[in-house]
Amino acid sequence: MSVEKRELICIGCPVGCNLTVTLESGSVMKVEGNTCPKGDTYARKEVTNPTRIVTSTVEVVGGSRPLISVKTKDDIPKDKIFECMEEIKRVKVTSPVHIGDVIIENVAGTGTSIVSTKNA
């Protein structure tokens, strides 16, 4: 059995606790340093299945602005970020676009959508 320790800074709340995660054979044995339950949840997820919300922009045709901001509706696996960005780069939308409109469904096969965060 191999024991490994990983040091993280929590992003679950504004405090930014210094976390130490102890893993044994790839399983989380304990999380130390968190001052709230969000730290424990964040640390366990980050070392076993890291995910991120992706934000970017998409070109708008015929709108009041040339670009709109977009994001993933939910977090996606970290190893899908580049594939997600490749899909976003290829997209152009036609005005009108509203906040929350789905721009891409099932981006990079993740099961989540890219949604608009601006009107155009």
Side-chain angles (χ1 to χ4, degrees):
M1 285 187 242
S2 65
V3 175
E4 176 186 359
K5 289 195 178 205
R6 292 197 196 162
E7 305 289 325
L8 305 170
I9 296 175
C10 184
I11 60 170
C13 78
V15 175
C17 296
N18 290 306
L19 306 174
T20 302
V21 182
T22 303
L23 297 118
E24 189 173 308
S25 300
S27 296
V28 176
M29 301 311 292
K30 68 179 173 181
V31 175
E32 299 173 290
N34 56 304
T35 58
C36 73
K38 289 180 182 180
D40 185 81
T41 301
Y42 167 76
R44 289 174 187 279
K45 186 173 178 185
E46 184 65 13
V47 298
T48 59
N49 182 31
T51 60
R52 300 290 185 269
I53 296 286
V54 175
T55 61
S56 188
T57 56
V58 169
E59 187 176 337
V60 178
V61 177
S64 57
R65 57 186 71 198
L67 300 170
I68 54 163
S69 55
V70 296
K71 71 176 200 75
T72 51
K73 187 174 180 184
D74 301 298
D75 51 346
I76 65 170
K78 198 172 170 183
D79 64 358
K80 291 285 192 169
I81 291 173
F82 288 110
E83 190 177 337
C84 173
M85 289 302 298
E86 285 299 318
E87 285 190 37
I88 291 171
K89 276 191 332 189
R90 293 191 298 265
V91 171
K92 290 183 184 182
V93 294
T94 303
S95 184
V97 179
H98 303 286
I99 294 172
D101 283 358
V102 174
I103 307 301
I104 304 171
E105 290 187 16
N106 191 26
V107 67
T110 62
T112 197
S113 300
I114 298 293
V115 295
S116 172
T117 60
K118 291 280 186 194
N119 295 320

